[in-house]
Amino acid sequence: FYGYANTNLGYLSAKDLYRILIPYNDQLNYNEGYLKDNEFIIYNQGEIPEGVFNGKSKDVDWTLDLNNHTLTISGSGKMLDYTEDNPAPWYEYRDYISDIVIGEDVTYLGKRAFYKCSYVQNIYFNSKTISSMSYLNDTLYAVGRKSTGTKLIIGENVTKIPYTLTNPHFSIDTSAYITSIEFKGNKLTTIENYGLSSIYAEEIILPESVTSLGDGALGSNKALKVVKIPDSITTLNKDLLKNCDNLET
């Protein structure tokens, strides 16, 4: 990618770029980055690491496949909690992760598990057994903040969106940069308090299977314009759409 340095015409070198878009559909691999969903991701530090890494996080297994830029949490049980001083084992490679897959039998997502995975494009949330999230959950802290948008895909066997899934510290500034939500199945019945709050989706179409929406379940979505709530919801709590200032219908 060549052009004139420091102008909108291009760059003499791509080393200082994080992302550019190129109109090409096939998978490409370069020393500078990779192409996924038409987005060519360029890193400014050395070569892209390759290989597959795996390990345990308390009860569950994790696999980081750097060949397809996917982090998978699988197995049954709870994850460990992590901190800035004691980060997750994949933290070193966080900028190379584009997809996060959460398995069906994961019962607890650790604090700051995906802390600053800033280039994530897709989160596949498949857990059907998470009973609750920790208070002031940090699991998705700042996920996707340097991406062009992150899609949250709710798996077909998910019955409940847990408390504050997308809303660390109840702050829009640290929430995941989720710009769209896709519901795969018709088993989802409950979205707990603040379960899908503080995101950036322009449209949310809830499946007909949903029967319960918690306080602020869809709140603080500044981009939200269209929301469809199924007829099965007969009572709306007052804070359901609080701070959704651009809502049209």
Side-chain angles (χ1 to χ4, degrees), residues 32-47:
E32 296 89 353
Y34 67 93
L35 181 73
K36 188 175 182 65
D37 296 334
N38 282 341
E39 187 171 14
F40 187 47
I41 300 175
I42 296 178
Y43 299 98
N44 63 356
Q45 293 183 355
E47 295 183 358

Side-chain angles (χ1 to χ4, degrees), residues 12 26 38 40 52 56 59 62 89 98 105 111 123-124 142 186 191 194-196 204 208 228:
L12 290 175
D26 295 331
N38 282 341
F40 187 47
V52 179
K56 297 284 289 187
D59 303 325
W62 63 268
S98 67
D105 296 317
K111 291 184 178 180
I123 301 171
Y124 296 88
N186 58 3
I191 301 177
Y194 310 102
L196 293 176
I204 298 178
E208 293 295 326
K228 182 179 179 182

